[in-house]
Amino acid sequence: MRNINFNHLRYFWAVAHEGSLTRAAEQMNLSQSTLSVQIQKLEHQMGHPLFERVGKKLVLTEAGQIALDYADTVFKAGDELLSTLQGRPMANRQVLRVGALTTLSRNFQLEFLRPLVGRADVELIVRSGNTRDLLAQLEAHEVDVVLSNSAVPQDARTLLRNHLLNEQPVSLVGRPRSGSKFRFPEDLRAEPLLLPSLDSDIRVAFDRILERAGIRPSILAEVDDMAMLRLLARESEGVTLVPPIVVRDELEAGILVEYCRIPEVTERFYAIVKKRRFPSQLLIDLLDIAGAKFRTL
C-alpha cells in the first residue's frame, strides 16, 4: 500500500479550511490549477471524492469530512511534539459534533452526552439551532447527529434516520400549594397556564384534551424554549405544562411539585443521523447506551 503524500494532504487541508480553491491557492502561493491537480491525486489515492461543488461553493463529502478530521490530527502533530518536549503534553482527541434544537431540554441533552463528558480523549462540539438549519448541517456532514423532539419524515430516498432515545411523560407542575388535590382537567377552568408554543407536539395533544373537555384555558405565556419555560415555572403562580425531566432539579428541591400527569401525552426524544459509509464510533456507542437505557424503562 502506498503512503499518503503529505503535500497533497496539506493542500486538501488548506482548501477544506478556506472553503475556497481560490483563497487556498493565494494563501499557498500556488495556481488554482496546480492545487486542483494535487487534490485530484489525493482523491484518486483514497478512492473517494473529497469535495462536491454546490453552486459556487466547495462542500466536503462524508469522506472529505473524515479526511479533514485526520488531517487536523496530523498537522497538530508538530505542535504536540513541541508541547511534549516542553513538558506540556497534549492528548489526541476524537471529535463528536452534536446539533440540538434550541428548544430541547438541557437535562435531556446532558443525559445523552454524559458518557462522553469529562473524557480527556473526546472533544464535544454542541451547536444549537432550529430544525431546518441543523438538518442542513447534518446533510453537509457539519454535525454528526441532531437531537430533536420530532422525527424527520422517512421515505425511500432520504438518508436520514430517526433513533428513538427516550419517551417522557408530560405533567402539570407548579409551586407547592396547600388545599385539595388538583383535579384534571376541571381545575384548568380557573388556573392560568404556561404552555409550550403551538409548534410543540405535546401542546397540540394537550389542546385536543382540553377541547374535548370543553375547557378554554387562561394562558399566561406560550414559550418555545424549554429553558425559559422552566424559569417561568419557578417564578409564576400559574400551572406549567412540561415534561418532568425539564424541571427535574426543581422537583427534587421542592421548588416545584407535580400536580398531575397528562394521560396519553408523552414527549419523544430522537437522535437524527445521516446514513454514512463511515459512521462515528463515538456516536454508535452513545446510541447503544441510550437505547439500552430506554429498553430498561
Side-chain angles (χ1 to χ4, degrees), residues 120-167:
D121 62 331
V122 174
E123 179 180 354
L124 278 174
I125 299 174
V126 182
R127 300 170 180 166
S128 297
N130 60 45
T131 300
R132 184 179 63 181
D133 290 345
L134 291 176
L135 291 181
Q137 291 179 47
L138 184 63
E139 290 279 10
H141 310 291
E142 294 172 5
V143 296
D144 301 304
V145 60
V146 171
L147 301 180
S148 173
N149 49 12
S150 297
V152 294
Q154 301 286 283
D155 59 45
R157 292 175 297 175
T158 183
L159 294 178
L160 300 183
R161 298 290 182 265
N162 300 304
H163 293 264
L164 180 60
L165 300 178
N166 208 329
E167 188 170 11

Side-chain angles (χ1 to χ4, degrees), residues 60-284:
L60 288 169
T61 63
E62 179 185 350
Q65 183 62 62
I66 293 170
L68 180 59
D69 288 343
Y70 278 96
D72 283 337
T73 300
V74 167
F75 295 123
K76 284 179 182 177
D79 290 338
E80 292 175 1
L81 174 60
L82 288 175
S83 296
T84 298
L85 294 178
Q86 294 169 5
R88 297 181 290 106
M90 300 168 60
N92 290 323
R93 287 186 165 192
Q94 301 177 73
V95 178
L96 184 70
R97 302 172 182 86
V98 179
L101 290 190
T102 305
T103 58
L104 200 64
S105 163
R106 304 301 192 269
N107 283 336
F108 166 72
Q109 294 178 47
L110 179 59
E111 284 300 314
F112 178 69
L113 297 173
R114 193 181 297 280
L116 301 184
V117 173
R119 279 182 50 174
D121 62 331
V122 174
E123 179 180 354
L124 278 174
I125 299 174
V126 182
R127 300 170 180 166
S128 297
N130 60 45
T131 300
R132 184 179 63 181
D133 290 345
L134 291 176
L135 291 181
Q137 291 179 47
L138 184 63
E139 290 279 10
H141 310 291
E142 294 172 5
V143 296
D144 301 304
V145 60
V146 171
L147 301 180
S148 173
N149 49 12
S150 297
V152 294
Q154 301 286 283
D155 59 45
R157 292 175 297 175
T158 183
L159 294 178
L160 300 183
R161 298 290 182 265
N162 300 304
H163 293 264
L164 180 60
L165 300 178
N166 208 329
E167 188 170 11
Q168 291 283 330
V170 176
S171 300
L172 290 172
V173 305
R175 290 181 176 181
R177 302 179 181 183
S178 58
S180 59
K181 184 179 179 181
F182 188 89
R183 298 172 303 157
F184 177 80
E186 293 81 5
D187 284 354
L188 293 181
R189 298 183 189 277
E191 292 282 358
L193 279 169
L194 292 93
L195 299 172
S197 71
L198 289 168
D199 294 332
S200 165
D201 291 342
I202 63 175
R203 169 66 185 280
V204 173
F206 182 72
D207 283 354
R208 282 200 297 263
I209 292 174
L210 295 192
E211 185 176 354
R212 288 199 300 266
I215 295 174
R216 300 188 65 179
S218 172
I219 300 176
L220 283 177
E222 295 178 318
V223 185
D224 65 1
D225 185 326
M226 283 295 173
M228 188 64 191
L229 191 60
R230 171 188 178 186
L231 294 177
L232 289 175
R234 294 170 57 112
E235 300 297 326
S236 173
E237 295 293 340
V239 178
T240 303
L241 178 73
V242 69
I245 190 173
V246 174
V247 291
R248 180 182 58 195
D249 296 342
E250 286 76 10
L251 293 173
E252 291 177 353
I255 299 170
L256 297 173
V257 295
E258 186 179 43
Y259 294 158
C260 70
R261 294 278 171 98
I262 307 302
E264 303 173 10
V265 179
T266 60
E267 181 165 42
R268 293 185 168 190
F269 297 97
Y270 296 91
I272 303 170
V273 302
K274 184 176 182 180
K275 188 177 180 180
R276 299 174 65 168
R277 294 183 62 188
F278 313 104
S280 162
Q281 188 60 49
L282 285 176
L283 180 57
I284 291 172

